Amino acid sequence: PAPFIALGERLLNWGFWADLAKSQGFADGAMFWSYEATQIARFGLMALLSGASVLLALRFQVDETTPRRALRRLAPLLPLLVLTFDLWLMGHSFNPAVDPKLLDLTPPSVAFLQSKLDPAQPWRLTSFDDAENEKVLNANSTMRYGLEDIRGYDSIIPKQYVAYMKRLHPQGELLYNRIAPIYSELGGQRNDAALDNPLLHLLGARYVIATQPISNTGYSLVYDDEVKIYENANALPRAFIAQQAVAAPDQEAALDRLQQVDPRNVVVVEGLAESDLPPPSSPQIKEAQFSSRENREYFVDVNISDRGWLVVTDNYFDGWKAYLRPFGVSGEGMDASGQSIETQLPIYRADGTFRAVYLPEAGQWTVRFVYSPRSVLLGVYLSFLSLITLILLVGWWAWGKYYKGEGSEVGTVAKNSTVQVIMSLMNRAIDFAFAMLRLRVLSPEGEGSYVTAITFYLIAEIVTRFGLGTLLTRDVAFEKARARKYLWNVISLRTLLWLVSLPVIAVVLYFFQHSPSPLTSAEVQAIALFAAALFFANIADALSSVFMAFEKMEYPAANATAITVAKVALGGLVILPPFNAGFVGLAAVSVVMNFVQVIWLWITLEQKVLRPHEAGVATEGAQSAEARTGSGVSASSVAKRFDWPLQKYMLRESGPLMINHLLATVFWRISQLVLRAAVNPAAVGIFSAGIKYVDGLNVIPAYFTAAIFPLMSRYAQSGSEAFVKAYRLALQLLFIVALPIAVFFTFEATPLIRILGGAAYLPDSAIALRIMIWSIPIGFINSVTQYALIAVNQQRYLTRAFVVGVAFTAISNWLLVPRYGAVAAAALLIPAELSLFIPFAWAVRRYIAPMPWLSLLGRPLLATAVNVAIVWGLDRAGLPTILAVAAGFAVYAVVLFALGAFRGEEFAVLRNGLNRRLRRPAAEASP
């Protein structure tokens, strides 16, 4: 074989391959091919596998005699698996691994610079390099040590900063990708003059690192070892006060003018005409220093004896905002009375690339700079809406493909309850996401005005709907032939009630205008638009009630979710530029979308429910006289006739339901009305940010009681002891769940408010949330107690109890809220819930059974005290709050078990049911 080996070596070292190998650092072609042998083998293997997988996939798809259908279904995955394997072979070991101990090294020169760091006045550094022979310091190499370089760290440099640096020193290493160091020579000439450029001093370049001497005036050698470090005495601080401004139309002109002025005293600003500039000032005191500095937010404390310009030599960029507050004031946004803690200042591009704000008064101030671009929030919001829309489309497709009808009463109930719960939760998620956008755009004042208008709408809605929807559903479900007649009369009656409500709303608005804080014209416009939207909303609710009577809840549920998506999408459009329509625009959107909802529901009701039902009745030969007369929209003149006796019956039957609902709503909303009338819209906005979480948590008792109410009703009718046990079990479960929720919100109120509304609502919305959250344990008990009293037919007593609760809430709010603002409104929610709990507890004792309240509630309260102590202690010890809350919850559960909170006879049903479930799999597995 020796001749063959020689031939092989000759081919491998053939001229072309030898030249290629040497150009890549190899000795000869043989070394090159031996190095690439593994890669060539991999290429051949993957080519073979790729071809085989494609052939097999095609064969299994074409060959109908394939013994298993599964092979035909999986065959298309074979090429995908081969491709995945190929990508894994290529990249699984791509990322290099380096000993992390190398990062522990801190060079002595870097340690020296770290010792000079000053948080109150941060500085920058740069390097003085020989262009050809050295690279003293890469710009990003000191980032991990907390040192800042004028060359920046990012590989994408803003154009405005590159233009600035070109005036200081030629750029061209990697334009817009890397800022060049200062070279000691340019074109064969010394470049020492660059170190004296005022643009370098303005950048705050206090230290220059070099390997060669620097003899420029103002530079002193402060470190001389492995490198030389010079301190630049002419470097300006990162934040300073300029007493005069000159205007420039653009950056080019600004950089030209900057060469003609002293940047220590004169700032060149863009975005203002020369005539709009304030006159020069002459402050004797002009101090500025950083008190806090993070990536997206920092605070600059200012002491100035006259007006002036605060210049911060960080890059100007859209999305940065500045706020002025008195020195020593903490928090953000509004206080509890709705007064602004800080005032927003316009930020101008200064000296070609930096930031400047004008301070209009002498004094001690703090300026807060925060990066909060609306584009990011809008992007997240639109992405969320897109995801929701995709989920709805997939759900609609899956429903049409897989839903084949209920088949049984149990299936109907399961379908209706599941659809409503899922759609309701989705609607709340959509509303919460929109609230995150709306609260930030409208600010506390605009949000307060919006909530005020919504409160008018909700109260008027309850009165004009009058509980007729529930009555329509109940009676039509019993006799479906009455659907058109009931629908027509309910719409007619609600239209009449709506017309009557309009002058009532006008009278209320008149009195509101004579309150200490009258409504604005924009608020009146929003209330008028919501009043128009109410007309269509009442019709839509009547149509939805017919769907519910026919047990077709999926149609109104899907409609409501789709309308919600469209409403918040259109709402986001109108409150953002270029429209900037605010909360009045949101009210207009409600009018449009409520009208669309009516049309959509009416067409769907006709096509999916009424006409198919009437056709089915006609086929059986048992249709009513209305159905026999023909068309679907107006089945007979009888169906379209005003039936006054029927409407009187409707008013009589629905009145108590409406009154209870109205009182319950006023009970919750009266705080917001008093805040608006006695304080201002901003106070309502501060309060409403916290109350949104409380409203969301009320989903828990609402769904729980809706699920358990039929069972409690049956037990109550039979008069069995099981009713008392079911009630005790329900209230204990809700109370046990509510307490750790309250603890969580108490300790996490600030980040939760920041997520929902942003910094403008802090700190007072968080304070209000910490207080009001402790109303939910009592509220959860009141919720299940209310349904228990309904089960024993004590609805009229509930009305009297709500009258007491509303009276107490109204009087206490009117006495305390004008003086103490949103925090007082939040605190009053707790005694307000107690004002319901006391009459409810008396009614439970009289109409149900005596309750050992101390025994039922004492153990969870004791466990909660331990929970709070644990969380507080761990939080103070420095553990992240979320971990402290998790640990406290675990301790809470352990203490509950230790105290025997689950040993009562009412929990025996749960234990027995759980044991049966655990035993069932074992029994099924046995032969």
Side-chain angles (χ1 to χ4, degrees):
F4 294 100
I5 295 176
L7 177 62
E9 291 179 350
R10 186 174 300 175
L11 289 174
L12 291 176
N13 290 315
W14 179 53
F16 172 77
W17 300 117
D19 293 342
L20 176 63
K22 291 177 180 179
S23 68
Q24 300 298 319
F26 295 93
D28 50 33
M31 180 181 289
F32 170 77
W33 283 110
S34 63
Y35 177 81
E36 294 292 344
T38 304
Q39 304 302 325
I40 295 172
R42 284 183 178 179
F43 174 77
L45 174 64
M46 296 313 304
L48 179 63
L49 290 177
S50 299
S53 64
V54 172
L55 289 175
L56 287 173
L58 293 175
R59 178 179 178 182
F60 285 147
Q61 288 296 309
V62 174
D63 188 0
E64 295 293 335
T65 63
T66 302
R68 296 183 180 178
R69 295 179 59 188
L71 289 177
R72 290 201 299 272
R73 292 183 177 180
L74 295 176
L77 296 178
L78 291 175
L80 180 61
L81 292 175
V82 172
L83 177 61
T84 304
F85 179 60
D86 186 24
L87 292 174
W88 180 83
L89 280 177
M90 179 191 71
H92 78 283
S93 60
F94 176 78
N95 293 324
V98 180
D99 188 353
K101 292 182 180 180
L102 294 176
L103 296 176
D104 296 337
L105 174 65
T106 300
S109 56
V110 171
F112 169 80
L113 291 171
Q114 285 181 313
S115 70
K116 299 297 183 179
L117 290 175
D118 181 7
Q121 278 296 357
W123 41 262
R124 295 188 177 98
L125 58 85
T126 189
S127 66
F128 191 58
D129 294 3
D130 187 318
E132 297 181 358
N133 301 324
E134 65 182 12
K135 180 75 71 172
V136 176
L137 183 72
N138 276 319
N140 59 1
S141 59
T142 59
M143 181 167 54
R144 68 176 301 268
Y145 300 108
L147 302 177
E148 302 177 57
D149 196 306
I150 67 169
R151 294 168 291 176
Y153 308 123
D154 202 336
S155 62
I156 301 177
I157 308 298
K159 181 180 179 180
Q160 68 178 36
Y161 189 60
V162 174
Y164 180 94
M165 294 301 293
K166 280 183 176 180
R167 297 294 186 102
L168 168 63
H169 187 73
Q171 299 297 312
E173 273 203 358
L174 288 172
L175 194 59
Y176 305 116
N177 180 269
R178 182 182 299 169
I179 297 295
I182 299 176
Y183 295 122
S184 60
E185 291 187 7
L186 284 177
Q189 302 293 325
R190 290 291 295 177
N191 190 36
D192 296 325
L195 296 174
D196 296 326
N197 194 317
L199 298 184
L200 179 66
H201 306 330
L202 187 55
L203 281 166
R206 184 178 300 177
Y207 293 98
V208 177
I209 304 174
T211 58
Q212 52 193 297
I214 295 177
S215 58
N216 298 56
T217 303
Y219 287 85
S220 57
L221 183 64
V222 293
Y223 182 89
D224 189 5
D225 197 347
E226 71 275 18
V227 293
K228 300 178 184 293
I229 300 179
Y230 289 85
E231 183 174 3
N232 177 14
N234 297 316
L236 272 70
R238 287 281 286 277
F240 62 92
I241 303 295
Q243 58 196 44
Q244 182 181 354
V246 295
D250 53 38
Q251 186 193 24
E252 191 73 17
L255 292 173
D256 290 338
R257 296 210 64 178
L258 187 59
Q259 305 287 341
Q260 306 164 8
V261 300
D262 179 7
R264 296 176 181 273
N265 299 312
V266 181
V267 59
V268 183
V269 297
E270 301 171 49
L272 282 176
E274 197 75 40
S275 58
D276 295 332
L277 291 173
S281 62
S282 55
Q284 301 301 312
I285 302 174
K286 48 177 187 177
E287 301 172 348
Q289 62 180 18
F290 291 85
S291 57
S292 175
R293 188 162 170 265
E294 298 177 358
N295 287 333
R296 65 172 296 269
E297 182 179 54
Y298 57 86
F299 296 79
V300 181
D301 293 335
V302 176
N303 183 14
I304 183 171
S305 59
D306 198 351
R307 299 164 290 105
W309 291 83
L310 172 63
V311 180
V312 179
T313 56
D314 288 342
N315 269 318
Y316 174 90
F317 197 78
D318 287 338
W320 280 96
K321 297 178 175 63
Y323 299 89
L324 179 70
R325 67 175 69 181
F327 177 76
V329 173
S330 61
E332 304 162 20
M334 304 282 180
D335 60 19
S337 62
Q339 302 299 318
S340 295
I341 291 176
E342 53 190 15
T343 304
Q344 186 168 359
L345 300 174
I347 301 181
Y348 301 96
R349 186 160 72 178
D351 295 337
T353 191
F354 303 123
R355 306 171 198 162
V357 296
Y358 181 65
L359 306 176
E361 295 181 41
Q364 290 183 303
W365 305 98
T366 295
V367 182
R368 180 172 68 94
F369 291 86
V370 60
Y371 184 62
S372 181
R374 189 165 291 174
S375 57
V376 175
L377 179 63
L378 182 60
V380 173
Y381 176 66
L382 292 177
S383 298
F384 173 79
L385 287 183
S386 300
L387 176 62
I388 291 294
T389 303
L390 181 61
I391 292 173
L392 289 176
L393 291 174
V394 171
W396 175 71
W397 170 82
W399 184 272
K401 183 174 180 62
Y402 297 108
Y403 179 68
K404 306 302 180 183
E406 296 84 6
S408 66
E409 291 185 356
V410 174
T412 300
V413 173
K415 179 260 296 184
N416 290 331
S417 59
T418 301
V419 167
Q420 289 191 89
V421 169
I422 292 175
M423 291 300 184
S424 178
L425 291 175
M426 188 172 291
N427 290 346
R428 286 185 176 270
I430 296 169
D431 287 336
F432 185 85
F434 181 61
M436 293 173 64
L437 175 69
R438 188 185 72 232
L439 266 66
R440 286 168 168 81
V441 174
L442 296 185
S443 78
E445 184 175 1
E447 173 65 13
S449 297
Y450 177 73
V451 169
T452 301
I454 284 289
T455 302
F456 273 87
Y457 172 87
L458 292 175
I459 294 175
E461 179 186 58
I462 294 168
V463 175
T464 54
R465 289 188 180 183
F466 214 81
L468 296 171
T470 303
L471 181 69
L472 187 155
T473 299
R474 187 192 70 181
D475 287 6
V476 173
F478 180 73
E479 186 179 344
K480 292 181 172 59
R482 298 186 288 190
R484 291 188 183 277
K485 183 176 183 179
Y486 264 68
L487 177 60
W488 178 257
N489 279 276
V490 166
I491 292 176
S492 302
L493 193 54
R494 283 184 172 177
T495 301
L496 179 62
L497 290 169
W498 176 75
L499 291 172
V500 172
S501 73
L502 296 181
V504 176
I505 293 175
V507 171
V508 175
L509 291 178
Y510 172 80
F511 283 107
F512 236 100
Q513 295 305 87
H514 292 79
S515 67
S517 179
L519 297 173
T520 64
S521 59
E523 288 173 326
V524 175
Q525 294 173 23
I527 292 172
L529 287 170
F530 276 126
L534 177 60
F535 172 74
F536 300 109
N538 286 342
I539 298 177
D541 179 75
L543 297 171
S544 297
S545 299
V546 178
F547 279 107
M548 297 180 71
F550 281 83
E551 300 183 88
K552 299 293 184 181
M553 283 77 162
E554 64 271 18
Y555 293 110
N559 172 274
T561 302
I563 290 294
T564 299
V565 172
K567 186 180 293 185
V568 300
L570 190 58
L573 178 66
V574 302
I575 64 177
L576 290 170
F579 298 102
N580 293 316
F583 60 89
V584 178
L586 294 179
V589 168
S590 293
V591 177
V592 174
M593 296 312 303
N594 286 2
F595 174 75
V596 172
Q597 185 176 27
V598 168
I599 301 301
W600 187 351
L601 284 175
W602 198 298
I603 294 174
T604 306
L605 182 66
E606 285 289 337
Q607 294 180 350
K608 301 295 185 180
V609 177
L610 294 181
R611 288 180 181 176
H613 172 73
E614 291 165 354
V617 172
T619 301
E620 296 173 4
Q623 71 273 29
S624 62
E626 298 103 309
R628 280 196 297 267
T629 58
S631 70
V633 176
S634 56
S636 74
S637 59
V638 177
K640 298 177 67 173
R641 186 180 303 157
F642 291 99
D643 191 332
W644 295 114
L646 175 61
Q647 293 185 3
K648 290 179 182 178
Y649 158 77
M650 288 178 171
L651 292 174
R652 184 176 63 253
E653 290 293 316
S654 301
L657 295 175
M658 183 278 295
I659 293 173
N660 284 347
H661 192 189
L662 176 64
L663 291 172
T665 301
V666 171
F667 176 81
W668 270 102
R669 302 290 174 178
I670 199 167
S671 299
Q672 296 167 345
L673 292 175
V674 174
L675 275 171
R676 180 60 189 87
V679 188
N680 55 40
V684 181
I686 291 294
F687 177 80
S688 66
I691 207 67
K692 282 178 173 58
Y693 280 108
V694 178
D695 284 341
L697 290 171
N698 282 328
V699 168
I700 298 173
Y703 286 138
F704 182 82
T705 50
I708 200 173
F709 180 65
L711 178 67
M712 293 176 65
S713 298
R714 289 196 298 271
Y715 286 161
Q717 292 298 321
S718 64
S720 65
E721 181 66 21
F723 172 63
V724 177
K725 293 181 180 179
Y727 169 66
R728 289 173 57 175
L729 175 63
L731 69 88
Q732 286 186 89
L733 287 176
L734 286 174
F735 193 67
I736 288 171
V737 168
L739 289 173
I741 292 175
V743 173
F744 170 77
F745 274 81
T746 299
F747 286 93
E748 293 286 2
T750 297
L752 289 172
I753 291 296
R754 191 182 295 275
I755 290 171
L756 176 62
Y761 294 80
L762 293 172
D764 290 286
S765 283
I767 295 172
L769 178 58
R770 288 190 181 96
I771 297 171
M772 69 175 66
I773 197 65
W774 288 98
S775 67
I776 68 165
I778 311 170
F780 281 18
I781 293 176
N782 288 341
S783 179
V784 71
T785 302
Q786 178 181 349
Y787 277 84
L789 292 174
I790 293 175
V792 294
N793 200 28
Q794 291 301 318
Q795 298 92 322
R796 297 186 183 277
Y797 179 85
L798 289 176
T799 303
R800 296 193 293 269
F802 271 116
V803 169
V804 172
V806 169
F808 172 83
T809 305
I811 294 172
S812 60
N813 273 270
W814 192 253
L815 291 175
L816 298 177
V817 165
R819 175 175 294 184
Y820 301 107
V823 174
L828 287 173
L829 288 178
I830 300 173
E833 289 286 4
L834 286 172
S835 70
L836 285 182
F837 173 77
I838 292 172
F840 280 6
W842 181 88
V844 168
R845 180 180 181 86
R846 180 173 180 181
Y847 300 112
I848 299 178
M851 289 289 136
W853 295 107
L854 183 61
S855 174
L856 295 176
L857 308 182
R859 295 184 182 91
L861 287 173
L862 181 59
T864 299
V866 178
N867 184 4
V868 171
I870 293 293
V871 177
W872 181 83
L874 293 176
D875 186 57
R876 297 281 291 182
L879 190 71
T881 305
I882 189 66
L883 297 180
V885 170
F889 178 78
V891 172
Y892 172 76
V894 171
V895 173
L896 281 178
F897 277 101
L899 293 175
F902 303 106
R903 295 175 189 168
E905 58 181 349
E906 59 273 6
F907 284 96
V909 177
L910 289 181
R911 291 195 298 270
N912 293 336
L914 181 60
N915 291 333
R916 284 196 298 271
R917 283 182 173 272
L918 292 175
R919 289 195 298 266
R920 186 180 303 164
E924 292 174 352
S926 62

